[in-house]
Amino acid sequence: MIWERFKNIQQNEISELVTMRLDGFKQKILIEGRFRNNPILIFLHGGPGSPAPFSAGCRGMFPELTEKFLMVYWDQLGCGVNDRQISEDFTINHFVQMTEDLIKQLKQMFPKNDLYLFGYSWGTILSTLVTKRVPHLINGVMALGQIVRDLGFNEFVYYALEHAKMPKFRQKILAKIKRKKKHSVYDLHRIEYWIKRYTNGYQPKKAEKYPLFSIIAIMLSSPDYRLKDLIAVLLNGTRKNQSLDKEMMQVDLTSDLQNIEVPYIMIQGQDDLLTPTQMARETYEQTYNPNLQFALVPNCGHLPGKTALKETIMIGYQYFMYIAKKKQRH
C-alpha cells in the first residue's frame, strides 16, 4: 500500500498540504491532482467532525479521483488535522463562511479551473448554503444524504421506527419524543441510535458494509497525519459541542434547494432514513427548477458501502461532465 501510495503521489502534478486562513482560523488543506488544469472537486464531509472517507490523510490513495479532478480534502475545523475545541458559540454560518473562503482562495489559485462540490450529510448543509452565497464561483454540486428539514424528527422516521422491531419501552419513549414541541440533542442522538440499530436506514443489514478498517489503514500510513490527527478523526473537538446539532435540528433547506441557481444533484441511498430519501425525492418532485436533480443508489442507506460509494461518484462524475459539455455549447 505504501509503495503504491508513493507511486501515485509522484505521478501527480500537484500534491500539496497547504495552509489557508478560513474565517480567521488557520487550517491545513490537501490539494491533489494528476493535472493542474483538472476541475476542482471539494469534498465537504459529514459530522460535524467526521472527516471520512476522503480526508487530509488520503494523499496518494484515490488515483481514480485525482485522475479526473483536482481533489481538495479538507478536515473541517474541529477534527482530523485541523482539530480544536468547537465551543458553543460556533454556528453553521461559521462553517459556511469557512467553505466560502476556501472556494474563493482556490479560485484565486486556479482561476481557469471549473469548481464542483461534493457534500455528504452535514456537508450538504454547507454545499446548499454556500451555493446560495456564491453561485457564480461554483459550476455544480453533488450531494449524498441531503439534509432538507426536520432532522431526526419527521414523519418518515417516526413511521419507520413505529413499525420496527423495537422494544416496547423504547416505543413508549419514541411516543413521548413525538409529542414534544421542542427536542433536545439527546433526543436526536437516541433517534439516530434507533435508526442504526432497528432499521436499514443507516446501513442495510444485508448490504455491503462501510469500509471503516480500510479507511483507518489509509490514514495510518498517511505522510500528513500524526497519531493525534488520526485520533482526532474519531475523538475530536466537536464531540462536546451542542450548538451545531441544535441548529441542524432547526434547519429547513427546502426553499434554498428548490430555488438553487447552480446545477445540483441530490444522490440518495434507497434506504436512507437518517436523511430520508422520500423527503429529498418529494423536494425534487415539487420543484420546477431544472437546476435541481435527483438520483437513487440501490441497496444503500445513509452510510454507503464501497460499491455504493463508487456508484455515487460515477453518478456525480457523469453529471459534472454533462454540465461541462452544456457549458461548452453555450
Side-chain angles (χ1 to χ4, degrees):
M1 178 188 288
I2 294 175
W3 167 246
E4 191 69 27
R5 184 175 206 155
F6 179 76
K7 180 182 174 183
N8 292 335
I9 293 171
Q10 293 301 306
Q11 289 177 342
N12 290 326
E13 283 188 358
I14 181 168
S15 183
E16 299 177 8
L17 192 68
V18 301
T19 299
M20 296 183 181
R21 189 171 290 276
L22 308 179
D23 195 30
F25 297 96
K26 276 188 176 181
Q27 299 181 56
K28 294 177 181 178
I29 317 292
L30 177 64
I31 305 174
E32 186 170 50
R34 182 72 182 274
F35 306 105
R36 295 183 69 92
N37 62 352
N38 273 350
I40 298 164
L41 180 58
I42 304 172
F43 179 65
L44 301 173
H45 64 69
S50 301
F54 309 118
S55 71
C58 291
R59 190 196 293 255
M61 289 309 301
F62 296 104
E64 64 273 22
L65 292 176
T66 51
E67 184 73 27
K68 300 179 178 73
F69 298 102
L70 198 59
M71 291 299 302
V72 177
Y73 304 115
W74 170 37
D75 295 358
Q76 296 164 27
L77 191 70
C79 65
V81 77
N82 294 315
D83 188 28
R84 62 156 287 155
Q85 192 64 42
I86 300 300
S87 59
E88 294 302 310
D89 58 348
F90 272 87
T91 65
I92 289 175
N93 183 62
H94 285 101
F95 285 86
V96 176
Q97 185 60 55
M98 290 179 215
T99 310
E100 181 180 340
D101 291 348
L102 175 60
I103 289 169
K104 287 179 176 178
Q105 291 179 55
L106 287 167
K107 289 299 288 185
Q108 288 177 349
M109 294 171 66
F110 308 97
K112 295 182 179 180
N113 301 49
D114 285 348
L115 185 144
Y116 301 104
L117 305 178
F118 178 4
Y120 170 59
S121 194
W122 146 262
T124 67
I125 296 178
L126 307 184
S127 65
T128 303
L129 295 180
V130 80
T131 300
K132 184 178 178 181
R133 284 193 185 187
V134 288
H136 59 290
L137 298 180
I138 300 166
N139 296 92
V141 182
M142 57 184 289
L144 175 63
Q146 177 71 52
I147 292 174
V148 179
R149 61 171 173 82
D150 301 325
L151 181 66
F153 310 102
N154 56 73
E155 61 272 32
F156 306 106
V157 167
Y158 291 144
Y159 181 85
L161 290 177
E162 286 167 351
H163 290 80
K165 293 181 179 179
M166 197 162 74
K168 287 185 178 179
F169 78 95
R170 284 187 169 149
Q171 289 285 1
K172 290 180 180 178
I173 297 172
L174 175 65
K176 289 181 181 178
I177 289 174
K178 189 176 177 179
R179 290 195 297 269
K180 282 187 177 182
K181 292 184 178 180
K182 187 175 181 180
H183 298 103
S184 68
V185 172
Y186 179 56
D187 291 334
L188 177 63
H189 292 169
R190 284 196 289 189
I191 290 285
E192 290 175 343
Y193 173 73
W194 295 338
I195 289 172
K196 292 176 185 178
R197 181 163 183 180
Y198 300 111
T199 79
N200 288 321
Y202 187 71
Q203 196 170 45
K205 304 295 187 289
K206 295 182 180 180
E208 181 185 42
K209 300 304 179 186
Y210 184 70
L212 178 61
F213 293 109
S214 297
I215 290 168
I216 291 173
I218 287 170
M219 295 176 181
L220 274 171
S221 61
S222 169
D224 303 299
Y225 265 19
R226 291 170 289 178
L227 179 60
K228 72 178 187 66
D229 301 323
L230 181 61
I231 293 171
V233 168
L234 300 173
L235 304 173
N236 54 54
T238 68
R239 285 178 63 81
K240 293 182 180 180
N241 172 272
Q242 292 197 4
S243 63
L244 295 175
D245 279 338
K246 287 177 181 177
E247 201 173 354
M248 286 169 68
M249 288 157 55
Q250 302 302 316
V251 156
D252 186 344
L253 299 178
T254 307
S255 178
D256 299 304
L257 288 164
Q258 292 180 334
N259 293 285
I260 207 83
E261 296 179 44
V262 169
Y264 194 112
I265 186 167
M266 298 184 293
I267 306 172
Q268 291 290 131
Q270 185 177 14
D271 300 305
D272 189 350
L273 192 56
L274 206 62
T275 53
T277 292
Q278 188 58 33
M279 187 183 291
R281 190 199 301 271
E282 287 181 0
T283 303
Y284 164 69
E285 290 176 346
Q286 294 167 8
T287 303
Y288 300 97
N289 182 349
N291 284 323
L292 188 65
Q293 297 296 318
F294 178 87
L296 200 64
V297 179
N299 202 28
C300 176
H302 186 71
L303 191 65
K306 190 175 181 180
T307 302
L309 184 59
K310 282 184 177 180
E311 186 165 346
T312 297
I313 292 169
M314 181 55 65
I315 292 171
Y317 176 69
Q318 290 173 345
Y319 184 60
F320 292 156
M321 292 307 98
Y322 166 76
I323 294 167
K325 288 179 181 178
K326 190 175 179 180
K327 178 185 173 185
Q328 288 173 357
R329 288 198 298 268
H330 290 82

